Amino acid sequence: MNTAAPAPEETSRIRMALRAENVPPSATAALDAQAKTLIALGVDVINLTSGEPAFPTVEPAAQAATQAIAEGFTRYTPAAGIPELRAAVAVHLNRHGTTYEPSAVVVTAGAKQALHYAFTALLNPGDEVMIPAPYWVSYPHLAALAGGTAVPVHPSPDAGLKVTPDQLRRAVTTRTRVLLLNSPANPSGVVYSRAELAALAEVAVDHDLTIISDEICDHWVFGTAAFTSVAALSEEIAARTLTIGAVSKTYAMTGWRIGWVAGPTPVARAITALQSHTASAPSSIAQKAALGALTADLTTELEHRRQALDARRLTTIKALTDTPGLEVGGIPEGAFFLLADVSATYGRTHASRTITSAADFAELLLAEANVAVVPGADFAAPHHVRISYTVPPDRLEEALTRIADFVGGLAPTAERVLG
Ligand SMILES: Cc1ncc(COP(=O)(O)O)c(C=O)c1O
């Protein structure tokens, strides 16, 4: 155990730009780090904050990377990525009905960097990005870093955490430039149907907006839900859409940092120029690894993984539904997260601490039951916590039991006792 005194707060003479001072650290990463610190200290914490499936990287990726190193494939690559990988990504995307040429694809260091380039290429200062809530925590910061302003669009309370075209139309202003779509969605796991996406995309067509469609979880769709690629909806929509994706989640390759943006050639060219002056290109070795993953026949293995996650999803939904005081938000049919509404626990107490927010709930749950979840405030879901159900089944069952026991053991409010 590390018993060293904490380092004193470092001071600096360097005056930072507002854009750096205004970016808070990610809440997801903070909770994940807190849980990992406790685990390192020997505490039996079950970490349900993770943003990645708990599977190993697919074997052909690792093999291709080893081979790339052995063959000395360790130099700069073309700024848009190696041609074979751009072609493989185009084939990979087009299985959903799009018609991308390899020249439409720019390979990036993960989907996150692809989003950063997309916002940088599209936004002038003050331009607005409509983001259906609840949303992935990084979108507003990525938009702000590029000079834009995020405009959250909130669903109605009874709408299953999905926004409607009318809600988007009401949020459009003269400054709106981009509509961000993300289905399957992080953090809620909701999957918009083809018809729903078509209706949302129509708003972009009517108001001449660009759509950025983050489709990073395209593989993780369950039950009766089906994945729809927005750019496959029509030629008109494809002409105004940038599709974002990655090998990160599907192939368990989050650490390899390979993603992409695909869209009309002039935008792909501009993004390539941005990348050439910033990152040069993603890692040559990781590009070979991604090529290995995309060109191997992994259908059976990926289907096994999908079914394994689906079983964990159903276990989680059942356990939370059976826990009085918790309510699953919307219908989580994709990704590997869901949101649990914890507002019914507000006012209840544990060891003289009263829960007044989802942040209190998450903090107490970690302190008292050793289960880490992420409070939803930064996802624009202030009364929910995000639960990532990717952990192995025995740990998941144990975590869900601990959550149920924790909620069941909360004392009622003083008023309720009196009243
Ligand atoms: C919705 C969504 N988009 C993008 C990303 C970033 O993906 P990558 O690790 O490929 O940069 C994540 C990662 O958590 C995500 O959940």
Side-chain angles (χ1 to χ4, degrees):
M1 193 163 129
N2 183 2
T3 52
E9 185 76 13
E10 231 185 292
T11 56
S12 163
R13 291 184 175 282
I14 297 172
R15 195 174 63 217
M16 284 190 286
L18 289 179
R19 89 171 69 80
E21 284 189 334
N22 288 342
V23 181
S26 134
T28 334
L31 256 293
D32 193 46
Q34 207 175 322
K36 282 179 180 151
T37 305
L38 286 170
I39 291 166
L41 291 171
V43 182
D44 175 28
V45 170
I46 306 179
N47 189 355
L48 305 184
T49 72
S50 175
E52 55 197 345
F55 298 118
T57 289
V58 293
E59 192 51 35
Q63 276 169 8
T66 314
Q67 195 181 335
I69 295 171
E71 290 174 354
F73 192 75
T74 53
R75 307 297 183 116
Y76 291 130
T77 73
I82 54 176
E84 318 85 280
L85 180 54
R86 296 174 77 192
V89 171
V91 170
H92 180 71
L93 292 174
N94 292 345
R95 77 201 193 288
H96 294 311
T98 51
T99 54
Y100 288 120
E101 296 290 336
S103 59
V105 175
V106 184
V107 180
T108 60
K112 215 177 242 185
Q113 199 183 31
L115 286 159
H116 173 59
Y117 291 145
F119 285 130
T120 304
L122 297 177
L123 299 177
N124 283 314
D127 284 349
E128 292 176 357
V129 180
M130 287 197 296
I131 310 182
Y135 47 70
W136 180 49
V137 61
S138 292
Y139 294 139
H141 303 299
L142 286 162
L145 275 173
T149 304
V151 176
V153 181
H154 297 277
S156 309
D158 54 354
L161 301 181
K162 288 182 179 177
V163 300
T164 63
D166 280 348
Q167 286 166 331
L168 291 185
R169 282 181 209 283
R170 282 198 293 276
V172 171
T173 74
T174 52
R175 301 307 309 262
T176 311
R177 283 276 291 119
V178 173
L179 167 61
L180 192 296
L181 295 174
N182 171 224
S183 171
N186 178 0
S188 64
V190 301
V191 179
Y192 283 82
S193 72
R194 190 178 181 86
E196 287 167 339
L197 284 172
L200 298 180
E202 203 176 297
V203 179
V205 173
D206 291 348
H207 293 274
D208 193 22
L209 311 178
T210 300
I211 299 171
I212 298 180
S213 183
D214 181 349
E215 303 182 357
I216 192 167
C217 282
D218 60 346
H219 178 65
W220 305 112
V221 178
F222 312 110
T224 56
F227 171 76
T228 303
S229 181
V230 171
L233 288 169
S234 75
E235 273 180 33
E236 192 178 30
I237 291 168
R240 60 174 66 252
T241 297
L242 298 183
T243 302
I244 306 286
V247 290
S248 306
K249 317 280 184 181
T250 304
Y251 300 96
M253 291 179 68
T254 47
W256 296 82
R257 309 309 303 134
I258 294 292
W260 50 78
V261 47
T265 318
V267 188
R269 232 183 268 129
I271 288 178
T272 304
L274 284 174
Q275 173 147 277
S276 76
H277 291 296
T278 50
S280 292
S283 148
S284 59
I285 297 158
Q287 288 190 61
K288 283 285 189 179
L291 183 63
L294 289 176
T295 52
D297 183 3
L298 292 167
T299 318
T300 308
E301 182 170 352
L302 291 184
E303 178 55 14
H304 279 150
R305 291 182 177 195
R306 199 190 64 82
Q307 286 175 12
L309 265 191
D310 192 16
R312 293 173 212 185
R313 175 183 75 100
L314 293 171
T315 301
T316 308
I317 293 174
K318 171 149 189 5
L320 297 176
T321 308
D322 289 348
T323 303
L326 300 183
E327 196 182 321
V328 175
I331 307 175
E333 289 180 304
F336 31 85
F337 319 100
L338 53 76
L339 288 173
D341 184 334
V342 299
S343 59
T345 68
Y346 293 176
R348 291 163 70 180
T349 59
H350 180 93
S352 80
R353 275 204 55 188
T354 304
I355 297 175
T356 61
S357 66
D360 285 347
F361 180 93
E363 213 181 300
L364 266 183
L365 183 70
L366 180 56
E368 303 302 329
N370 291 329
V371 176
V373 297
V374 188
D378 289 352
F379 300 109
H383 302 304
H384 294 78
V385 296
R386 189 188 75 174
I387 293 177
S388 171
Y389 50 78
T390 66
V391 295
D394 56 329
R395 296 296 280 165
L396 182 62
E397 299 263 7
E398 168 66 18
L400 294 167
T401 304
R402 289 187 196 178
I403 292 173
D405 290 348
F406 168 76
V407 175
L410 291 171
T413 54
E415 292 95 299
R416 277 185 210 157
V417 172
L418 293 173

